[in-house]
Amino acid sequence: MDYESFYRQSIEQPEAFWAEQAQRIHWETPPTQILDQSNPPFRRWFVGGTTNLCYNAVDRHLAERAEQLALVAISSETGVTREFSYRQLHREVNTFAAVLQALDVGKGDRVVIYLPNIAEAVFAMLACARIGAIHSVVFGGFAAHNLALRIDDAQPKLLIAADAGMRGGKVIPYKPLVDAALNEASAPPPRVLLVDRGLDPQMIRVPKRDVDYAELRAKHETAEVPVVWLESNEPSYLLYTSGTTGKPKGVQRDTGGYAVAMALSIRTVFDIAPGQVMFSTSDVGWAVGHSYNVYGPLIGGATSLLYEGLPTRPDPGVWWQLCEQYGVRTMFSSPTAIRVLKKQDAHWLKDHDLSALKWLFLAGEPLDEPTAQWITDALGVPVIDNYWQTETGWPAITLMPGLDLKPTKIGSPGLPAPGYRMKVIDEGTGKEVPAGSKGVLVLEPPLPPGCLSTIWRDDDRYVYSYFSHFRELLYSSLDWAIRDADGYTFILGRTDDVINVAGHRLGTREIEESVAGHPAVAEAAVIGVKDAIKGQVPIVFATLKQDAGVAADAARGMQQCVVDQLGGVAKPSRVYVVNALPKTRSGKLLRRSLQALAEQRDPGDLSTLDDPSALDEIRRALARGP
Ligand code: ATP
Ligand code: MG
């Protein structure tokens, strides 16, 4: 099937198209209505149909692939690898579901999962899905305050946590964070189920509230827990956005639409057929982890690799060694992770037999050309940028090598995925801009299956966050984009990231891209700061590669790169060389906080900031001067 006709059908005859795609999953009872749009901007897919995510991800494969590997959980931190066939996964999930039931968790109850990237996180998610409980996975690395906010939002009956995670060889106890979060939270206190990895012998248990998973697991080793069938639009899980632009939003996902989107995308976007191997380097706590470490590959009958650890430990070849060992066909990572590797020598990648590897997908942030070029050369496989959001749950702009691979254009994630009706419009007039012009990316309703149903317990915030920016009812998260004459979309950053220099509108992305072209630069963040004469001027914060030479020379070189490529108007007025850039836990540059500090304002909501010392360093750099 070629992309054009596939996409055209999804837009011109959405109901027929999605009715056909729905055949990819098991429905216990088929839907009675494909699409209900009677209450815009809400929409409901596959109304009346009942299904279950866990059944589609696990039980459904037992007949044909019980002995095939379903999940491989690798920890380069503990040095332990655990492999689970579909039969073993089914066993573990049934046991976990029985434990949930023993703790009185049932349909509609919320379960907060605060675990590192280990197999139990996957068992817990699938067990919730099996019994219709709503999971809310909180990235196991968030501080107590973030956890408390999410506990208060979800009001869970149960919180599942580990004694500790590990990062860079250091044990990070989780349990004290759990206790602090429960102290801070005002929601009724949930029970706490502890997965004790034996990493923190000092772990303290609170009697009556805390219970050990291992103990309950032993009691339910042979339990069979029937699947609870859910109506397609009943919620499956909650998941928060990264908080790059402000307070994170609690995305609510449905059941049937999401299952269909996963079954469709794993095959046609990620080119993974049953029995093939997918390695997503994400944490299960992010949207990519939910969709392409857990639900996508498992619904697709594939083998999913889950990885706890850094990309550079024990050495920068660790991911590529895994690709070789397991015959990974499709790998999924982020530009941020590749920039970490780019600081190292490319031989770490080249030393491995990557003949099984067909595609590297990258998402989450704009993929700059130097990074794309470096990784393409190092791996020798096509690198596919794909654009999406926690809200969409699966790629919205991508190429689809599972159908046919259209030519890649560096700097663009490509073409709209099936069901996404996309336009680039003028912020002021709301009219579509001509090809090649900059504007705001919007989606016309209906959003395809898989996208968020609403914001958890806050329909009003759903409407005003996404649908209130323009006169027409259009979905937008305010990303800035250009669509070229071939229909390829280039993402320029967020509308807040636009820099207005003496009337010229420049995307931070364009300037970052030229700065990153300087050979000494590992990573760069560009922001606009107020300027009495020009309105705004760009300034740069950059980290350098190892052995990059003198910082001041590099800084001058970066300015020259921008002048050469974008002209004098875009020339950064200052360049600060630093050791780390402030990022969200999901690896996104916190430009709004950089800008606030540079303009001597409050840096805003920092609840998702990864490393507070990075901001301190920015403060010092600003005080010291470039
Ligand atoms: P918040 O919504 O809380 O401010 P966030 O938007 O960063 O945080 P996510 O859902 O994790 O939360 O990220 C989605 C955003 O990431 C997109 O709206 C876009 O700005 C950016 N993004 C994702 N993939 C790409 C890509 N391939 N190219 C460019 N930008 C991307
Ligand atoms: Mg967003």
Side-chain angles (χ1 to χ4, degrees), residues 217-407:
R217 180 177 183 275
K219 284 194 196 142
H220 298 279
E221 254 172 353
T222 57
E224 296 282 341
V225 176
V227 162
V228 173
W229 302 107
L230 301 181
E231 197 277 336
S232 175
N233 294 280
E234 289 186 291
S236 55
Y237 66 78
L238 313 180
L239 179 62
Y240 292 83
T241 58
S242 292
T244 312
T245 56
K247 187 169 161 255
K249 299 171 278 274
V251 162
Q252 177 179 323
R253 197 83 66 208
D254 71 0
T255 297
Y258 182 64
V260 172
M262 289 301 99
L264 169 69
S265 59
I266 196 70
R267 194 69 198 251
T268 58
V269 177
F270 296 98
D271 189 31
I272 287 284
Q276 295 179 336
V277 185
M278 168 118 183
F279 179 14
S280 161
T281 66
S282 175
D283 190 279
V284 286
W286 310 125
V288 176
H290 279 61
S291 293
Y292 299 109
N293 284 85
V294 184
Y295 292 112
L298 296 178
I299 288 175
T303 300
S304 174
L305 265 54
L306 184 73
Y307 179 80
E308 178 188 41
L310 303 175
T312 47
R313 252 179 61 98
D315 62 56
V318 55
W319 283 355
W320 319 98
Q321 161 60 32
L322 290 168
C323 285
E324 176 177 343
Q325 187 181 343
Y326 287 96
V328 171
R329 176 183 176 86
T330 299
M331 180 144 175
F332 192 165
S333 194
S334 63
T336 308
I338 302 304
R339 283 185 217 116
V340 170
L341 291 173
K342 198 170 119 202
K343 289 186 183 174
Q344 316 285 336
D345 195 286
H347 86 81
W348 290 109
L349 286 72
K350 293 185 173 159
D351 285 351
H352 297 280
D353 172 9
L354 299 178
S355 50
L357 190 67
K358 293 264 291 183
W359 322 103
L360 173 67
F361 283 79
L362 297 174
E365 273 218 294
L367 175 61
D368 56 286
E369 177 164 353
T371 303
Q373 206 58 62
W374 182 85
I375 188 70
T376 308
D377 293 346
L379 288 181
V381 303
V383 171
I384 301 179
D385 184 7
N386 58 121
Y387 164 93
W388 46 302
Q389 310 164 353
T390 308
E391 290 87 340
T392 64
W394 61 293
I397 307 176
T398 187
L399 297 180
M400 300 181 66
L403 289 176
D404 60 345
L405 184 65
K406 297 287 156 206

Side-chain angles (χ1 to χ4, degrees), residues 19-61:
E20 197 182 320
Q21 298 310 318
Q23 305 299 318
R24 293 176 186 267
I25 67 158
H26 169 86
W27 294 92
E28 186 63 7
T29 36
T32 49
Q33 187 186 359
I34 297 300
L35 173 62
D36 168 16
Q37 287 195 86
S38 57
N39 181 26
F42 301 89
R43 80 237 168 285
R44 300 190 305 148
W45 285 102
F46 310 118
V47 181
T50 64
T51 184
N52 181 287
L53 288 177
C54 179
Y55 181 87
N56 278 285
V58 185
D59 303 53
R60 193 179 181 217
H61 303 304

Side-chain angles (χ1 to χ4, degrees), residues 95-238:
T95 296
F96 214 116
V99 169
L100 295 179
Q101 286 179 331
L103 294 169
D104 199 28
V105 175
K107 181 177 165 183
D109 290 334
R110 274 80 57 207
V111 175
V112 167
I113 299 175
Y114 184 67
L115 290 172
N117 232 19
I118 56 174
E120 281 74 11
V122 180
F123 306 157
M125 291 164 78
L126 292 168
C128 286
R130 187 169 197 85
I131 62 171
I134 301 168
H135 61 69
S136 171
V137 182
V138 178
F139 173 64
F142 270 144
H145 176 64
N146 297 286
L147 183 56
L149 292 175
R150 286 157 178 72
I151 290 169
D152 280 340
D153 202 26
Q155 313 256 330
K157 208 167 208 178
L158 181 70
L159 190 161
I160 305 173
D163 56 337
M166 277 185 82
R167 191 169 149 124
K170 275 211 291 279
V171 171
I172 302 162
Y174 282 11
K175 184 61 195 333
L177 304 175
V178 170
D179 293 337
L182 287 172
N183 251 335
E184 182 185 330
S186 45
R191 294 292 299 275
V192 177
L193 180 63
L194 291 167
V195 177
D196 185 358
R197 307 174 75 196
L199 294 175
D200 180 14
Q202 259 100 60
M203 177 163 68
I204 295 167
R205 292 163 174 81
V206 176
K208 296 216 174 70
R209 189 195 71 188
D210 300 354
V211 38
D212 267 80
Y213 178 63
E215 227 168 84
L216 289 175
R217 180 177 183 275
K219 284 194 196 142
H220 298 279
E221 254 172 353
T222 57
E224 296 282 341
V225 176
V227 162
V228 173
W229 302 107
L230 301 181
E231 197 277 336
S232 175
N233 294 280
E234 289 186 291
S236 55
Y237 66 78
L238 313 180

